[in-house]
Amino acid sequence: MPLRTGRWLRQRTTEPPTTFQLTSAMHHVGYELDMMAFAAARLRYPLDDLFINAYLESMLLHARNLAAFLIWPDNNATSIRPVDFGPGWSAGPAEACAYLESQRDRINKHLAHLTWQRLEEGTPQWEREKITTAVFAVAEQWARFLGVRHPDLGSAFADRVSRARQHVATGGASGL
């Protein structure tokens, strides 16, 4: 069954995704993780302001996308959601989720949407390491959850999270 057909979207409420569809979906989740890590690693080096902004916005955008998937999933028929992989997902650890929730409105107002807060509040000082660390913690819990329901996907994603963490820690010296 093709991934993006009207038939698939109509059937998603009655038929679970296939293994191929889940694998393809996890490829996209992994892409978000890799891009967040790549951008965060580049921010460890001295850069011109333009490059700092580009990498910072990329890191925040991909962190936001991961948090939206893992912590704040919607019920849009076109969205990939944790429930597509099996019931019972509860985002955690609680501290990481609470921190990301505390940054949600700020990221939305300063990055994802054109708002008056940008003018009133100026450029925020982002806690880049804290944001990526929190996303990695939730992603690790997701990998454990996934490993119980889909062992191959869970193992592959756990490896990807580990490589992404290492990539940020080494400033990009280790490969993704």
Side-chain angles (χ1 to χ4, degrees):
M1 180 179 336
L3 282 177
R4 298 189 186 272
T5 67
R7 180 172 179 254
W8 162 240
L9 295 177
R10 283 190 303 276
Q11 291 176 333
R12 93 175 262 153
T13 57
T14 58
E15 295 180 21
T18 66
T19 300
F20 173 76
Q21 289 166 330
L22 293 176
T23 301
S24 296
M26 282 309 299
H27 172 77
H28 289 278
V29 175
Y31 170 82
E32 297 293 334
L33 185 75
D34 290 349
M35 291 305 294
M36 180 192 75
F38 176 83
R42 293 304 177 266
L43 287 166
R44 297 174 60 105
Y45 295 100
L47 300 164
D48 292 336
D49 287 347
L50 184 63
F51 288 105
I52 290 171
N53 286 343
Y55 286 126
L56 179 61
E57 287 181 11
S58 180
M59 185 209 87
L60 292 170
L61 173 71
H62 293 290
R64 178 181 180 266
N65 290 348
L66 287 162
F69 168 71
L70 294 167
I71 304 170
W72 317 304
D74 62 40
N75 286 319
N76 187 321
T78 63
S79 296
I80 298 168
R81 302 167 300 164
V83 72
D84 295 329
F85 295 83
W89 166 245
S90 178
E95 184 177 302
C97 292
Y99 176 72
L100 292 169
E101 180 62 37
S102 77
Q103 298 299 302
R104 182 181 189 179
D105 191 54
R106 188 174 187 217
I107 291 172
N108 285 340
K109 299 298 183 197
H110 287 273
L111 176 77
H113 306 290
L114 291 173
T115 64
W116 292 109
Q117 281 89 340
R118 288 185 184 191
L119 298 175
E120 295 166 1
E121 298 170 8
T123 304
Q125 294 300 310
W126 298 101
E127 297 174 304
R128 301 183 311 235
E129 187 173 324
K130 200 168 180 182
I131 290 169
T132 56
T133 298
V135 170
F136 285 142
V138 180
E140 287 166 344
Q141 184 161 319
W142 169 251
R144 288 189 294 276
F145 169 85
L146 196 58
V148 171
R149 284 140 189 89
H150 306 278
D152 291 344
L153 292 177
S155 176
F157 191 68
D159 289 344
R160 204 161 185 173
V161 174
S162 178
R163 285 193 316 272
R165 261 193 193 274
Q166 186 67 18
H167 190 76
V168 173
T170 63
S174 66
L176 287 172

